[in-house]
Amino acid sequence: MRPSIKQVAHLAGVSIATVSRLLNKPGSVSAETAEKIHRSIAELGFRPNFTGRNLRAGNSRTVGVVVPTLSNTVFAQCLQGIELAARALDYSVMFTTTEYLPEEESAAVELLLGHRVDGVILTVADAGSNATLDLLERERIPFVLTYNQLATSGPTTHRASVSVDNRAAACDAVAHLIRLGHRRIQMLSGRFNASDRAMQRYYGYLDAMKAAGLAPLPAIEVERHTLTAATDYQQMMADPLQRPTALFCSNDLLALSAMRDLRALGLQVPGDISVMGFDGIPVGALMAPVLASVVQPSERIGDVALRTLVEAIERAVPAAAKGPSLQSPQSPQSAQPALRHILPHVLREGGSVAPPPAAHSLS
């Protein structure tokens, strides 16, 4: 059996109340008494249980995290940022995934709320119209969206979110391809109904094509991150008269999958076709050629989301229940922090893109 606080008190020769005071307010007992209690704790291997204390104080100091998947390392990087920031602020993290299924979002959130989390960080299929987010608001559960980019006007603008500007970032990526001389650029994407981020990136693709006076090609939507079953796509890529000179992919895993399938068709990247990704996952920099991509600061997105959520949680609990101060060089505070955080993106100009073959270039 685990040693109890009663055993610690008995071994140290003090009352249970004195041990409790030391654990909750270390400066409330004398140095001599504190030393005796710490010796007893070490000898018995006692580990304080803060769960009951936190629940009695009205909060669990635990946040929930809902992401589509961990197979895409962009979300794993975000989770790492959340975890590191939570640890610094004495919070714990519980997470679950939805596998890109919108119908799983409600069940995932209900699971976390059943564990008494104080708030939720989540990435949803469609932040503009989402029953799960509506439920969280009705229940007055603080939440912060990650990667979902909310509209600048409308009924959801008050919701907290942390993302890059997906539309502007996609426009930058496609504009880079255009500057290299590409005119036939096609977007390869996951299902738009499973990711509002992909839809925003498609709008960015359209913006760049329109600005250059080029005709956009129909987007190719595929399931998840694999093209294996996309027969029409493979046939088109095998035909030099049909295929584009460059692919803009809505995420890096899709781009890496495309590079694999293009090689299987006997095509060279970037000699025959260029491939541009979106996310900037680290493994892309280890590929040969290096995957050109829009790099999102995913760990920073997680850090900012956690700190934004904790601010909301701690404004809602009594001052006595608050943990460590949120003041830090990374997170300047104000009385009413901004809810919509747009973080900067950068373009990784990898070797997977190059000027198109001379026969296709009009430059």
Side-chain angles (χ1 to χ4, degrees):
M1 294 182 63
R2 292 181 179 179
S4 67
I5 192 172
K6 182 177 180 180
Q7 291 173 289
V8 171
H10 178 75
L11 183 60
V14 299
S15 68
I16 294 174
T18 301
V19 177
S20 180
R21 282 202 309 276
L22 175 69
L23 295 176
N24 289 285
K25 295 181 179 180
S28 63
V29 300
S30 68
E32 181 182 356
T33 300
E35 184 180 356
K36 289 192 294 184
I37 294 173
H38 284 307
R39 280 201 305 266
S40 298
I41 288 173
E43 183 176 337
L44 293 170
F46 173 74
R47 180 177 291 115
N49 180 3
F50 293 111
T51 301
R53 182 196 70 182
N54 291 336
L55 290 176
R56 285 192 297 274
N59 66 331
S60 65
R61 299 196 72 81
T62 302
V63 299
V65 179
V66 179
V67 294
T69 181
L70 289 182
S71 65
N72 185 342
T73 58
V74 69
F75 296 115
Q77 289 174 270
C78 179
L79 184 59
Q80 178 166 314
I82 292 170
E83 168 64 24
L84 290 175
R87 194 182 307 169
L89 299 175
D90 194 27
Y91 273 75
S92 299
V93 175
M94 290 186 64
F95 76 91
T96 185
T97 64
T98 61
E99 296 304 314
Y100 287 97
L101 298 174
E103 61 270 23
E104 290 296 318
E105 291 170 358
S106 177
V109 168
E110 289 289 352
L111 172 68
L112 294 171
L113 295 182
H115 285 273
R116 302 285 296 275
V117 297
D118 295 330
V120 184
I121 297 171
L122 65 171
T123 303
V124 296
D126 182 2
S129 177
N130 191 286
T132 301
L133 301 183
D134 296 340
L135 170 66
L136 288 171
E137 285 192 336
R138 287 196 302 271
E139 297 290 333
R140 298 183 180 277
I141 305 295
F143 68 89
V144 177
L145 292 162
T146 51
Y147 299 102
N148 296 112
Q149 183 181 345
L150 297 170
T152 55
S153 62
T156 63
T157 55
H158 62 284
R159 289 174 173 170
S161 63
V162 187
S163 71
V164 298
D165 188 327
N166 287 282
R167 185 167 181 166
C171 184
D172 287 347
V174 177
H176 176 65
L177 294 172
I178 294 170
R179 286 193 297 272
L180 290 174
H182 291 279
R183 299 297 179 262
R184 284 182 53 79
I185 304 169
Q186 194 155 26
M187 182 167 178
L188 189 62
S189 175
R191 296 294 181 188
F192 290 145
N193 63 1
S195 171
D196 58 7
R197 288 84 64 206
M199 194 72 231
Q200 289 159 354
R201 293 165 195 175
Y202 177 62
Y203 291 144
Y205 160 80
L206 295 177
D207 291 342
M209 296 294 280
K210 180 180 178 180
L214 299 175
L217 300 176
I220 304 170
E221 294 182 69
V222 297
E223 295 292 342
R224 295 294 297 268
H225 307 306
T226 178
L227 308 179
T228 304
T231 306
D232 293 342
Y233 158 82
Q234 301 231 7
Q235 290 176 347
M236 181 188 73
M237 289 299 161
D239 185 345
L241 298 179
Q242 290 189 65
R243 68 173 178 256
T245 63
L247 282 175
F248 168 56
C249 302
S250 64
N251 63 68
D252 280 354
L253 289 187
L254 200 52
L256 295 174
S257 179
M259 290 170 67
R260 176 204 63 196
D261 287 355
L262 291 168
R263 284 194 296 269
L265 292 170
L267 299 174
Q268 294 184 350
V269 176
D272 294 309
I273 183 169
S274 290
V275 177
M276 170 73 73
F278 196 113
D279 280 337
I281 61 176
V283 71
L286 303 178
M287 303 300 294
V290 170
L291 176 63
S293 182
V294 173
V295 181
Q296 300 193 81
S298 289
E299 189 168 330
R300 178 67 177 143
I301 286 173
D303 177 278
V304 173
L306 187 282
R307 293 176 186 278
T308 301
L309 180 63
V310 170
E311 286 177 1
I313 291 169
E314 298 202 349
R315 284 197 302 270
V317 298
K322 291 186 177 182
S325 170
L326 296 182
Q327 297 291 340
S328 77
Q330 291 184 325
S331 181
Q333 304 301 309
S334 61
Q336 293 294 330
L339 291 177
R340 188 169 178 264
H341 300 276
I342 300 295
L343 303 187
H345 64 274
V346 297
L347 190 64
R348 183 172 67 205
E349 298 182 11
S352 66
V353 302
H360 296 279
S361 178
L362 299 179
S363 58

